């Protein structure tokens, strides 16, 4: 019986994550989670490093979302970004940028 608890907890957590993802609302505009990150210096540098086709896709999604927001509309449900399809395309680059910045700060201290 105790071995089933982590599985149930995992399913419950995944269900909560999916619910929260849909409640956030950005997926109804066709955005991905990484499209919603605040653009500080680290995010800007990570965006500079992503492949051009990913950058162009991001720009398209953001412009479409701004247009929809201005019109106070959302996409048809079949065009919403699904939880399973949301790829964290920027996260690996962002982790690399943050790690490099921290290493540089550490090096500058010495």
């Amino acid at each position: 019986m105790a071995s089933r608890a982590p599985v149930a907890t995992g399913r419950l957590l995944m269900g909560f994550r999916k619910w929260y993802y849909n409640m956030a609302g950005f997926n109804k505009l066709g955005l991905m989670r990484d499209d919603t990150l605040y653009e500080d210096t680290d995010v800007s540098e990570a965006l500079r490093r992503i492949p051009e086709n990913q950058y162009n896709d991001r720009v398209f999604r953001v412009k479409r979302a701004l247009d929809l927001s201005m019109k106070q509309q959302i996409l048809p449900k079949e065009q919403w970004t699904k939880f399973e399809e949301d790829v964290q395309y920027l996260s690996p680059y962002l982790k690399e940028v943050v790690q490099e910045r921290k290493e540089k700060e550490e090096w500058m201290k010495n």
Side-chain angles (χ1 to χ4, degrees):
M1 191 78 161
S3 65
R4 293 170 59 194
V7 175
T9 304
R11 273 189 277 169
L12 182 64
L13 183 61
M14 185 57 70
F16 178 74
R17 290 177 67 197
K18 287 181 180 183
W19 173 81
Y20 185 78
Y21 182 86
N22 286 321
M23 291 305 294
F26 59 82
N27 65 321
K28 297 173 184 173
L29 299 173
L31 293 173
M32 294 182 166
R33 188 194 70 83
D34 283 354
D35 296 336
T36 63
L37 295 175
Y38 175 74
E39 285 193 38
D40 59 5
T41 54
D42 291 339
V43 173
S44 295
E45 177 60 24
L47 285 170
R48 194 182 65 72
R49 295 181 184 193
I50 64 173
E52 186 177 359
N53 62 331
Q54 284 183 338
Y55 182 77
N56 290 339
D57 291 346
R58 179 183 192 276
V59 169
F60 171 77
R61 288 190 303 270
V62 170
K63 284 184 177 183
R64 178 179 59 184
L66 288 171
D67 183 54
L68 288 166
S69 179
M70 237 174 25
K71 295 176 182 176
Q72 296 183 355
Q73 297 175 347
I74 60 172
L75 290 170
K77 191 163 185 161
E78 61 272 2
Q79 293 182 17
W80 292 3
T81 306
K82 294 167 188 57
F83 179 80
E84 296 80 15
E85 297 171 354
D86 193 339
V87 178
Q88 294 184 3
Y89 65 91
L90 194 59
S91 297
Y93 298 96
L94 187 57
K95 287 177 186 174
E96 184 179 290
V97 167
V98 169
Q99 182 181 359
E100 287 175 5
R101 179 179 47 80
K102 287 181 180 179
E103 286 176 4
K104 185 177 180 181
E105 289 172 355
E106 188 65 33
W107 187 79
M108 295 298 273
K109 285 181 183 178
N110 297 332

